[in-house]
Amino acid sequence: MNQTTSITNHPAPLPDAPVCIWRRLFRQSWMGALVAAVLLWLLAGAVTGSLSVSFILANATIAGFLTLAGTAQMIVIASKPGNFDLSLPYVITFGAYIMSAGFLGQGNTAGSLALTVLAGALAGALNALLIVRLRIPAIVATLASGYIIYSLIVAIQSGGFSRVGGLFEAALRLRIAGVSGALVATVATLVLVSILLSRTVFGLQLHAMGQNGEAARLAGVRRGWLTLGTFMLSGVLAAWLGALLATYQGGVSADLGRSYLLGSVAAVVVGGTRITGGVTSVFGTALGALVLTLAQSDLILLQLSIGAQYVIQGLLVLGTVCLVAARSSNRS
């Protein structure tokens, strides 16, 4: 009589789902920025004596503006290692001036917005032309175009400027449960950009070109046209930010966009996004901008001098870069 022995293979026990979720969450590049934002909020509560949600929301509005600038910069950084858009602050200011000038008639908000966005797209196209056709490094090309745009700003400064006003300004200044209309506008813009970068062919090709440009070319990516789209998108976001600032603040000045040059790069870095190209994280950039905004608010609450504020903010960015580099080396 033959006896058969059946062997049953039991599957290995799977780790608990919550453990996997938490482990994956803590591996996210933006987790450090999230922890820093919470700690800075707690510090503000300790200084003022109350933990206020309105404090977070007020800072979130300002951080939203910085996130737009950071996202515009992040897109350029992702396109190729070493790429930076130095024309960004000039495009922001130029967009604000166009929005406030009323070239298409006072009260024509829709027309002014369309003209502002068009100006940003043209500024981005100029950058791409210098980079692709003349083969000028991006950091040099954008610096040159920034000076050209600044000359245009100086040329139109003599014209009359007025508040944008109307329904658009009222909508941006409206607050419901502490949430401003300006914050809603920036979040909506960032969601659209995030979808563009993660769900479209453009986004996939942008990441591929940033990770390995030659391999992307061999795979059929038309790098010239992709560079054009990249810088035009950056220019549109910068001009849109200028329009929002001019409307929300009720005025415009020649140095409106100056702080957004270093701030945009810092938001990308603090948010945990590598500056070696091929990687984007709109959410991480938003957290980085919130950390920088909360840090500045906390330093003001602590009544530190301007010099000390800059030193601490610089150390914050430097420490973040070191942490990102250490995590990258550990993974490799």
Side-chain angles (χ1 to χ4, degrees):
M1 182 176 179
N2 295 329
Q3 293 181 347
T4 58
T5 304
S6 61
I7 300 176
T8 304
N9 293 325
H10 297 283
L14 296 175
D16 294 335
V19 175
C20 291
I21 294 175
W22 280 108
R23 187 176 299 170
R24 183 179 302 178
L25 187 63
F26 278 107
R27 287 179 179 175
Q28 296 296 325
S29 60
W30 42 258
M31 178 52 65
L34 178 61
V35 173
V38 173
L39 292 177
L40 289 169
W41 181 39
L42 295 176
L43 176 60
V47 173
T48 59
S50 63
L51 204 58
S52 174
V53 177
S54 61
F55 178 79
I56 281 285
L57 293 176
N59 280 273
T61 299
I62 302 173
F65 295 139
L66 181 56
T67 305
L68 279 179
T71 302
Q73 192 70 262
M74 178 193 67
I75 293 170
V76 173
I77 293 173
S79 64
K80 184 180 179 181
N83 273 7
F84 292 96
D85 188 358
L86 299 187
S87 68
L88 183 69
Y90 303 105
V91 178
I92 293 173
T93 305
F94 192 48
Y97 269 105
I98 293 178
M99 188 67 194
S100 302
F103 289 121
L104 301 180
Q106 296 296 335
N108 188 1
T109 304
S112 297
L113 276 173
L115 188 61
T116 300
V117 171
L118 177 61
L122 291 176
L126 174 61
N127 286 329
L129 176 65
L130 295 175
I131 295 167
V132 176
R133 292 300 181 185
L134 301 183
R135 300 185 182 278
I136 300 175
I139 196 169
V140 178
T142 55
L143 179 62
S145 65
Y147 283 126
I148 295 173
I149 296 170
Y150 184 73
S151 67
L152 296 177
I153 294 172
V154 173
I156 66 175
Q157 271 185 333
S158 57
F161 297 95
S162 61
R163 293 182 60 140
V164 176
L167 183 61
F168 186 51
E169 180 177 332
L172 292 183
R173 289 174 172 267
L174 178 67
R175 289 185 178 272
I176 300 177
V179 179
S180 67
L183 179 58
V184 174
T186 55
V187 169
T189 304
L190 294 172
V191 169
L192 291 176
V193 174
S194 181
I195 293 173
L196 178 65
L197 294 177
S198 61
R199 303 291 183 181
T200 66
V201 175
F202 170 81
L204 295 176
Q205 291 185 347
L206 174 66
H207 292 102
M209 185 174 70
Q211 292 170 8
N212 192 321
E214 185 59 23
R217 184 189 68 82
L218 294 175
V221 175
R222 304 177 68 178
R223 292 185 297 178
W225 288 105
L226 190 59
T227 300
L228 175 64
T230 298
F231 279 91
M232 287 184 68
L233 178 58
S234 177
V236 166
L237 289 175
W240 169 238
L241 172 57
L244 291 178
L245 289 172
T247 306
Y248 184 76
Q249 296 180 0
V252 61
S253 62
D255 60 349
L256 178 67
R258 181 181 301 175
S259 63
Y260 289 99
L261 176 57
L262 297 179
S264 62
V265 179
V268 175
V269 172
V270 174
T273 303
R274 292 177 298 165
I275 59 175
T276 54
V279 179
T280 60
S281 175
V282 175
F283 184 66
T285 302
L287 284 177
L290 182 60
V291 167
L292 293 172
T293 306
L294 287 173
Q296 186 173 12
S297 297
D298 285 359
L299 293 174
I300 293 174
L301 289 175
L302 293 172
Q303 298 181 349
L304 297 180
S305 64
I306 297 296
Q309 292 180 29
Y310 282 130
V311 170
I312 295 175
Q313 289 176 356
L315 291 175
L316 177 64
V317 175
L318 182 61
T320 305
V321 172
C322 294
L323 288 175
V324 172
R327 291 185 63 178
S328 299
S329 61
N330 289 335
R331 288 179 180 178
S332 60

